[in-house]
Amino acid sequence: MSLFDLRLSDVHNRLHHKEISVADLVEESLKRIGETDGKIEAFLAVDEEGARKQAAKLDSSGEERGLLFGLPAGIKDNIVTEGLRTTCASRFLANYDPIYDATVIQKLRQAQSVTMGKLNMDEFAMGGSNENSAFHPTRNPWDLERVPGGSSGGSAASVAAGQVYFSLGSDTGGSIRQPAAYCGIVGLKPTYGLVSRYGLVAFASSLDQIGPLTKNVEDAAYVLQAIAGHDSRDSTSANVDIPDYVSALTGDVKGLRIGVPKEYMGQGIDPQVKERVLEALRTFEAMGAVWEEISLPHSEYAVASYYLLASSEASSNLARFDGVRYGVRAEDPANLLDLYRRSRSEGFGTEVKRRIMLGTYALSSGYYDAYYKKAQQVRTLIKRDFDQAFEKYDLIVSPTVPTTAFKIGEQVNDPLTMYLNDICTIPVNLAGVPAISVPCGLADGLPVGLQLIGKPFDERTVLRAAHAFEGQTEHHKLRPAL
Amino acid sequence: MSITVKDVEHVANLARLELAEAEKERLAVELNAILKYAEKLNELDTEGVEPTSHVLPLYNVMREDEVRESLPLDKVMANAPEEEDGHIKVPAVLD
């Protein structure tokens, strides 16, 4: 059994009694990366030297032990790490070495985890398969012919393969939860504003949120505890009290009221995926929770609204990549305009250009009201659907993704089909509410994810319910034979 | 409403992208397909509905106007493609 299969409290007990050292944990991570990364290619960069140094420092320190003391972590490559190359899996940033740490990285340092390196993703977090990485695709540890999901595909595959104890990802339309579902692990997207975005390379600023990917719900609660909190450097950071997430994990869901949106269980949902979700609902019933079918009537408009809004925000955010201050500059530009155009055209991949074009068009003179404003109004209607549902229910439950992981190359040429994979995850970002994906079994040998959606800033209920479900099932203990 | 290659060229210019001919044609087809799908939104009557740009009730977030430490110049310049005397160098703006 791997050290990474131990509960966090067990790891800390062993460290405390000097049965193991932080160096052992780091060596375990490096060994596993060495054994498996040739197959799954989750990492873009492994910081072997930095991790060993940090392990030695932690082993010799007499400091009070942080919440995540000694745990090897992988970081999605759109979260900036001082001195450690951060590329967003884009050729544009192939040479970019950040000169500061993201707030979440500073918080991980306080919690005393060990950063093992940077994880692959779809370029600038645009995509759901990691096939849009400019460097190489990551493969699903459960089936190397299949995608790990995305955009945090490296983050999910790495945890599933036992390379790291936990990882951080980012979620704009499902980018933590969908790969977590495809790789059979836990992925949490916190409420918008709970975790600082300072140092997260922006894709769609009103939707992006950083969160943990872990092997179980308890670990997710610990990592969230470490990274949540107000940050004056992120003006969209919420100034709320951070509760104790771990103490929410009581195992008790008696009387919990669950709504199951019929729009998330209908057309396009694989029958086996639906069956796993219904089994999960029976498990909740057996624990004393109650569920009934509800309607979120504007669900079918979420994908269209999202792609207009996210692309519009992206077209604005990615204007900063101009080849002037950092990144890869085109050779021998004729003038400044030529420098902008060629640096961007040579640096960005197909999907990134497609979204910049869509967003620029939606924001351009004459089309703003028809597309951008209309999409924002529909966002209001979608958010109201959730507000109304949460007047009556504590939690909304659905599949995380309509299907299991698809084959590499199967969908890459069809942007619309690819976008429809996100039908259950996108509304959550538009409404800004928290949601977790937890394993709820297999379909034809591939993991299925169960999504639990909560009220704004009510991560405690989301984690409590997810943890109680996990306690009644064995799904999260399944590991890919890699 | 249908997007032509000419429209694609106009938008590419706004976005400061340079596209090959084949790319322009492909993008015209793809953008038409995506926007056709987006027209679904017109099924909804949104008359009088406030647009949501942001889910949190945050407006202007102010701080004291005080001098703070900036990023160190030498480190900032380390990522610049071309620099001279503490300035980032670019080609002439006008020919």
Side-chain angles (χ1 to χ4, degrees), chain A residues 97 300-301 341 345 374 380, chain B residues 13 18 43-44 50 52:
Chain A
D97 295 321
E300 62 173 304
Y301 302 99
R341 283 191 183 136
S345 302
K374 182 81 184 180
T380 303
Chain B
N13 180 48
E18 194 173 77
E43 294 168 12
L44 293 171
E50 275 296 307
T52 296

Side-chain angles (χ1 to χ4, degrees), chain A residues 146-166:
Chain A
R146 291 178 190 269
V147 303
S151 65
S152 312
S155 300
S158 184
V159 170
Q163 295 178 337
V164 291
Y165 197 85
F166 73 92

